[in-house]
């Protein structure tokens, strides 16, 4: 199991759906090439939602791979299932105009989330954990020292003037830089939902999500002096993708 609660919940949900659908079938059917059509028929139950359709396939293959590794199957024939859902969000960014419209209506605790996201490029799961103990002084100013949750890589993120304002306005007795309106810790889901709710109230495009601040941040980090290699390492991208 992965460490993330959301990922664990997704695996349980889809694993149980797979088990329920194939509960009367002998395991050996997955060693037959025709089982691929059976798995595709199961995925088709979610054809109305391409993303769920593809997710079903991902988790079916995860289970079958595990079965092969554990010796429950000698092989299976469900590799590289065709996907329906394709998306490229690399060009979706929060423009200065978007942020200005958002900040005009959103409460302070949500404005702080969006600002920190745009300035650091951290995923929501990492964003909600940044704290005052991760701030280090450098000859050029300050930086955040963060070990990212997904890649487990250590990232050093320069504190930009906008991020410095968020940090400096954090109450002295508060360890976490970002909290909810009551000053208590956030979950990644609540942070994303907070931004989504106030994005809608600001009448901005529903394409904009908290996750889309990563492209915005990459440009800002380049302007702050980070090399493309460091930005790529921090974002989990290839250097070519970071350059583009």
């Amino acid at each position: 199991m992965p460490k993330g609660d959301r990922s664990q919940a997704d695996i349980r949900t889809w694993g149980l759906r797979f088990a329920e659908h194939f509960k009367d079938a002998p395991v050996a059917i997955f060693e037959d090439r025709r089982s691929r059509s059976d798995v595709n028929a199961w995925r088709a139950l979610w054809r109305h939602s391409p993303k769920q359709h593809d997710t079903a396939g991902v988790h079916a293959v995860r289970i079958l791979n595990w079965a092969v590794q554990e010796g429950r199957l000698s092989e299976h024939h469900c590799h590289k299932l065709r996907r329906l859902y394709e998306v490229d969000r690399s060009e979706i960014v929060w423009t200065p105009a978007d942020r200005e419209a958002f900040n005009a209506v959103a409460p302070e605790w949500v404005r702080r989330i969006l600002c920190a996201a745009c300035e650091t490029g951290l995923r929501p799961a990492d964003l909600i954990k940044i704290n005052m103990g991760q701030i280090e002084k450098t000859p050029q100013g300050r930086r955040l020292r963060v070990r990212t949750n997904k890649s487990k890589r250590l990232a050093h993120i320069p504190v930009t003037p906008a991020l410095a304002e968020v940090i400096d306005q954090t109450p002295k007795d508060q360890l976490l830089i970002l909290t909810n309106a009551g000053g208590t810790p956030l979950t990644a889901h609540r942070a994303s939902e907070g931004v989504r709710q106030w994005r809608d109230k600001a009448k901005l495009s529903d394409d904009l999500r908290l996750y889309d601040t990563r492209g915005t941040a990459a440009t800002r980090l380049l302007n702050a002096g980070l090399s493309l290699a460091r930005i790529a390492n921090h974002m989990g991208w290839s250097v070519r993708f970071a350059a583009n």
Side-chain angles (χ1 to χ4, degrees):
M1 278 288 194
K3 290 185 177 180
D5 292 341
R6 176 68 181 273
S7 297
Q8 290 183 13
D10 285 347
I11 289 173
R12 289 192 182 96
T13 296
W14 288 102
L16 289 171
R17 287 173 178 172
F18 182 85
E20 175 63 23
H21 186 82
F22 290 100
K23 66 182 180 182
D24 295 325
V27 69
I29 71 163
F30 295 107
E31 294 177 348
D32 188 312
R33 291 185 181 277
R34 290 171 294 180
S35 64
R36 188 180 181 95
S37 66
D38 294 326
V39 171
N40 279 330
W42 174 66
R43 293 199 301 156
L45 296 173
W46 292 277
R47 185 173 287 277
H48 63 281
S49 171
K51 192 171 183 179
Q52 288 191 79
H53 170 277
D54 294 350
T55 299
V58 167
H59 289 291
V61 172
R62 180 193 289 267
I63 291 167
L64 295 174
N65 286 345
W66 170 85
V68 171
Q69 291 166 5
E70 292 295 314
R72 311 294 180 89
L73 289 173
S74 61
E75 62 178 341
H76 74 82
H77 301 277
C78 296
H79 300 288
K80 297 182 179 179
L81 296 173
R82 187 174 70 87
R83 292 175 176 249
L84 298 180
Y85 182 73
E86 294 182 6
V87 62
D88 179 5
R89 303 186 63 82
S90 61
E91 294 186 4
I92 301 176
V93 296
W94 288 77
T95 66
D98 292 331
R99 292 179 65 181
E100 184 177 346
F102 182 89
N103 291 338
V105 299
E108 182 183 6
W109 70 275
V110 187
R111 294 199 304 267
R112 289 168 61 88
I113 293 171
L114 182 63
C115 179
C118 287
E119 301 301 316
T120 66
L122 291 172
R123 294 180 176 87
D126 296 315
L127 196 66
I128 61 169
K129 295 178 182 178
I130 56 176
N131 61 73
M132 303 300 283
Q134 294 172 307
I135 301 169
E136 301 176 339
K137 290 185 178 180
T138 70
Q140 291 77 34
R142 289 179 289 179
R143 69 182 183 185
L144 276 173
R145 185 174 183 271
V146 179
R147 187 170 297 281
T148 58
N149 187 58
K150 185 172 183 179
S151 65
K152 308 303 179 188
R153 292 175 176 170
L154 192 62
H156 294 95
I157 308 167
V159 174
T160 61
L163 181 59
E165 188 174 341
V166 170
I167 292 170
D168 294 339
Q169 290 177 353
T170 302
K172 299 299 181 185
D173 60 347
Q174 181 177 297
L175 179 62
L176 290 172
I177 291 172
L178 303 175
T179 65
N180 62 20
T184 56
L186 288 160
T187 63
H189 177 71
R190 182 67 188 105
S192 296
E193 277 297 288
V195 169
R196 183 193 64 77
Q197 289 167 0
W198 290 95
R199 173 208 68 192
D200 291 347
K201 291 181 181 180
K203 294 181 170 38
L204 296 172
S205 168
D206 58 9
D207 279 338
L208 288 172
R209 304 174 189 171
L210 183 59
Y211 201 91
D212 297 317
T213 57
R214 286 170 61 73
T216 309
T219 303
R220 292 182 174 277
L221 293 175
L222 183 68
N223 292 337
L226 265 71
S227 66
L228 282 176
R230 288 180 64 194
I231 292 172
N233 183 66
H234 166 49
M235 297 287 184
W237 296 341
S238 68
V239 173
R240 177 177 293 182
F241 187 86
N244 290 337

